[in-house]
Amino acid sequence: MSTSESERQTTDFERWLAAEFAQTGAFTALAVLVEIAERSVMPLCSTYFNVIGDEVDWDEMTILFAGAGREWDGAAFFPQIAADGGPLDNPNARLRLHELESRLDADRLVLNEGHFFDKWGRRRKIEEITTQ
């Protein structure tokens, strides 16, 4: 038995994307794919893309991320808007992505500043683990 498009459950990602686009209009999303282990999170790769509508669903996003050539467990999105509104130009998007990568290298909890989802599009949060 197949599920029709109208019966398909909306993911946390899709709800977030719709709300973000409704609030800000077009924006640039910095995206970081991560591997999640029992006691650690490791950034794998990152990219950016412009969001000009809210019609992308989680399945389409996972197809896009398949092009990374890496197995991943989660993705964090960091919306960015140009000073005059709308998406960033490429040089500024690259600069902000590089700054984000540096911050993530120093502190994985930076993922919580964005919108973090597991590989099924469910919202997640990174918890700090204390060592004894």
Side-chain angles (χ1 to χ4, degrees):
M1 175 185 260
S2 66
T3 304
S4 74
E5 188 66 27
S6 62
E7 295 172 350
R8 186 180 152 296
Q9 289 282 28
T10 303
T11 64
D12 291 341
F13 168 81
E14 292 157 358
R15 286 187 289 277
W16 163 73
L17 183 64
E20 188 73 34
F21 187 77
Q23 179 181 350
T24 64
F27 63 94
T28 298
L30 308 181
V32 180
L33 296 181
V34 299
E35 174 183 51
I36 302 172
E38 186 175 329
R39 300 180 63 82
S40 66
V41 175
M42 175 65 67
L44 298 171
C45 56
S46 60
T47 191
Y48 65 91
F49 53 89
N50 292 330
V51 177
I52 57 171
D54 64 357
E55 55 279 334
V56 174
D57 66 24
W58 184 248
D59 291 337
E60 292 168 315
M61 191 59 56
T62 60
I63 291 168
L64 173 71
F65 289 154
R70 309 279 305 261
E71 290 293 321
W72 55 276
D73 301 304
F77 300 88
F78 298 81
Q80 306 287 305
I81 301 170
D84 58 350
L88 300 173
D89 60 23
N90 285 335
N92 280 309
R94 281 193 295 274
L95 176 64
R96 290 196 194 177
L97 183 60
H98 178 70
E99 291 168 350
L100 175 62
E101 291 166 343
S102 295
R103 292 181 60 222
L104 280 170
D105 286 344
D107 182 4
R108 302 295 194 260
L109 293 175
V110 169
L111 290 168
N112 291 333
E113 295 174 17
H115 302 274
F116 187 48
F117 303 92
D118 66 14
K119 62 182 169 183
W120 295 281
R122 300 175 300 193
R123 191 173 283 278
R124 293 293 180 243
K125 182 179 177 185
I126 299 297
E127 300 285 334
E128 188 168 12
I129 296 177
T130 57
T131 56
Q132 298 180 6

